[in-house]
Amino acid sequence: MLIWGLRACAAVAGSVVLLIVLFLVTESLPVLGHMGWSRFLTDASWHPAGDAAEGTFNLTPIVVGTLATTAGSVMIVVPLGLISAVFCCYYAPPVLARCYRRLIELLAGIPSVVYGFWGLVVLVPLVRRFEPPGPSLLAGVLILTVMILPTIALTAEAAMMNVPRAYLHGAAALGLSKRATLWGVVIPAAKSGVLTGVILGIGRAIGETMAILMVCGNIVQVPTSVFDPVRTLTANIALEMAYAMGDHRSALFVSGLVLMGLIMVLVIVAETISKRESHG
Amino acid sequence: MNKVAIEDQVLTGVVEQYTDAPAPKVMVTASDVKPIDHSVQPAITTHSLGLMYGGKPAFEDVSLSIRHGSITAIVGPSGCGKTSFLMCMNRLTDLIPGCRVSGRVCIDQADVNSPATDVVTLRRRVGMIFQKPNPFPLSIRRNIELPLREYGVRGRQELGQIVQGVLEDVGLWDEVKDRLDTSALRLSGGQQQRLCIARALALKPRVVLFDEPCSALDPISSGVVEDLIAGLRGRYTVVIVTHNLAQAARLADWVGVFWVRGGSGRLIEFGTSRQVFKQPSDPLTYEYVNGCRG
């Protein structure tokens, strides 16, 4: 009885994913059918219209926007998250470590629209002081950094906490210093856990919509500097869904499909890495 | 070592053990250790050594002295403080919160617990092998190189020579020479344990502590490791904790028996292997070594 219940739950969870993908595909099909993939890469610009013949549908700058914001924030957040985890596990006095961990957990719980709000009134003016206009790739990168830091810091910390005590005792018995133990033993041992955290963080960064939409400026262009405004796939959907019709609407579903594809690639990468790790 | 030499060692050892030498009055620290005449001074001495875990004694009042180059086995039932005793020798006790050491341990006449003792130097001179093989999740080569690099050995060639030397020493070279850069975790349990021994020997320790090194291994690997330990006799001072009395009898020049008395572990017998196994002074030891108890 129980086993059937569990099977039913698993079936529901699994089929929801399949249904969503199926839905994305069927909604994208009209535009893909009479336009094909190539126009999403080769059109002059993104000026969609309800009829495919009248609009232009180049998604490239938007994909670049998504990749740039994500890559930028990950590059900042990985060292930051690692340092934070190392500090928490090995250097901070226990009381401080506990307070710090609570704070990071709290950071993870802040709603994304609040992040966006903060970004809009603090980050954007700050960036503008360096170089106008303010809403920019840089602001997006920074806001994403703050948003995915908890994910990466907390998983990295959990991975470091799970490093077998036998390694630590072994390292101590060999007279290794704290630094050598950390770099030589703890971090290699925690590597796959840290990577999982990074992948989760990237997933969150790619999917983030609200905060990004509020600070990035949303101009469809391939950025030439970090101060240029950009638009991401998620922001694109959120901005245009409300009024899109016909082929335009369908093109937005193609954005969603691309987003889904990016995430899928990420999951596959994560799987391969963890498989290779477990084989030693 | 030939039989005569062992007998000789045994006799002088007995005399030394039972002449109740007073503890040195001056505290000796690591910094002012003079070159040691190995034929006279013991490698390790403990004076009423004890250890408490959060107020509960693990063992107390252990006094013994261990000769240079000998193999000393510590036997006894579980929970009588054998492993804790070993951990006092290289101050691994520092890692355990709420544990307190009383009494003295001296290695090469230097007080291990003195504030002047540099723990890193101490642990470099006193290697330790654990019950469960614990190679790091690195390549075989990196496992040995990591501590060496830490101590300033940088030359590629020098590192390579040391790696080969210690791997040959533990009989692992022929088995792994073609895959030095693969993960150490892919080795079998026995190979991993030998790698751990090689890693410890690479630092040229004076004392090597073994904490039940064979109990997690299959009989064949266990035999290989045991022979390896026997081969260290004379070159290193070896202290081995074991549950396996037969192993102790095969390996050890000296045997100490720990037993729980009055709620904590005590050293109830210490003497040459022959003494302990043939003419033990404590009736408990007699029953234990003859398989009537424990």
Side-chain angles (χ1 to χ4, degrees), chain B residues 164-173 198 201 228 232 235-236:
Chain B
Q164 178 170 1
V166 290
L167 284 177
E168 277 170 352
D169 223 11
V170 298
L172 209 52
W173 177 251
L201 295 185
L228 168 58
L232 302 180
R235 292 189 290 155
Y236 303 91

Side-chain angles (χ1 to χ4, degrees), chain A residues 8 54 73 83 121 132 135 178 241:
Chain A
E54 290 168 24
S73 61
I83 291 169
V121 297
K178 207 173 205 174
M241 208 58 204

